[in-house]
Amino acid sequence: MATYNVVDLSSVLRTLCDLNAQGQPWPGPSAAREQHHHDQAKPPSHTRTPPTDLATITTWPAALRHVMRTVGQSEETQLRIRGLIRSQHTHERQWWKGREALLAKQAARGDKKKELDAVLRSIGAPVDPKEISTVAEDRAELTNYDEKVYKASAQMAEAMAAELRGMGIPFFGTVRNEAVNDDEAKLTASELHHLQSRMLELLQDLCKE
């Protein structure tokens, strides 16, 4: 998994974005001094940059610029995302341990039955041929557990998506899929899922503890 330098990459992205918008080459020392004096002569501006409409972010480069500008420079948002990641990992560990415990319980039932049968045979007592639980019953029990875990994980994913949407993370809210022009393709469900997975990987890298 790739690692991102939050400060450096954010600065580079802003610079590239500014240069692309101006359509100008990299300024030399002289141009930089002239720009500095020009900026000093400008009256202060009180206009604010309008917030980004997340529904219009449908490409990875645009999403990357937005996240590096917001999450990458907000310790509070990073802390919230770390909390979500910890919660997810905790639940996944609990579900896995529960499954392992169920398998162990099923194996123990069979072992105890065998031990009891051996004792009964040793003293000449009748042995009940019926199994405590059949293979099919054990499989059904395990399937039922897996279905409950799947439902719980789906609910957790929905809750996390809502949290990320509230934090302004691209691809987890409404995506405006209408093509602006003929050259712009619409996102399919598969593409959106891929972008969401890619965004989660980026967030985990940005918010490592």
Side-chain angles (χ1 to χ4, degrees), residues 78-91:
Q78 292 179 34
L79 287 172
R80 291 176 63 186
I81 293 175
R82 288 189 193 110
L84 292 177
I85 293 172
R86 281 196 300 268
S87 176
Q88 177 185 354
H89 290 171
T90 297
H91 282 87

Side-chain angles (χ1 to χ4, degrees), residues 8 10-11 31 33 38 55 60 65-66 115 127 144 151 169-170 173 188 202:
D8 293 344
S10 177
S11 176
R33 285 193 298 270
H38 178 67
W60 180 252
R65 287 194 295 270
H66 177 79
E115 292 176 3
V127 174
N144 183 55
K151 182 178 180 180
I169 305 300
T188 64
L202 172 62

Side-chain angles (χ1 to χ4, degrees), residues 37-81:
H37 292 305
H38 178 67
D39 291 341
Q40 285 184 327
K42 285 184 179 179
S45 174
H46 298 288
T47 60
R48 292 184 178 181
T49 303
T52 302
D53 182 0
L54 295 179
T56 64
I57 299 180
T58 58
T59 64
W60 180 252
L64 179 60
R65 287 194 295 270
H66 177 79
V67 169
M68 298 306 295
R69 186 173 61 249
T70 54
V71 178
Q73 298 180 6
S74 173
E75 182 63 28
E76 178 183 355
T77 302
Q78 292 179 34
L79 287 172
R80 291 176 63 186
I81 293 175

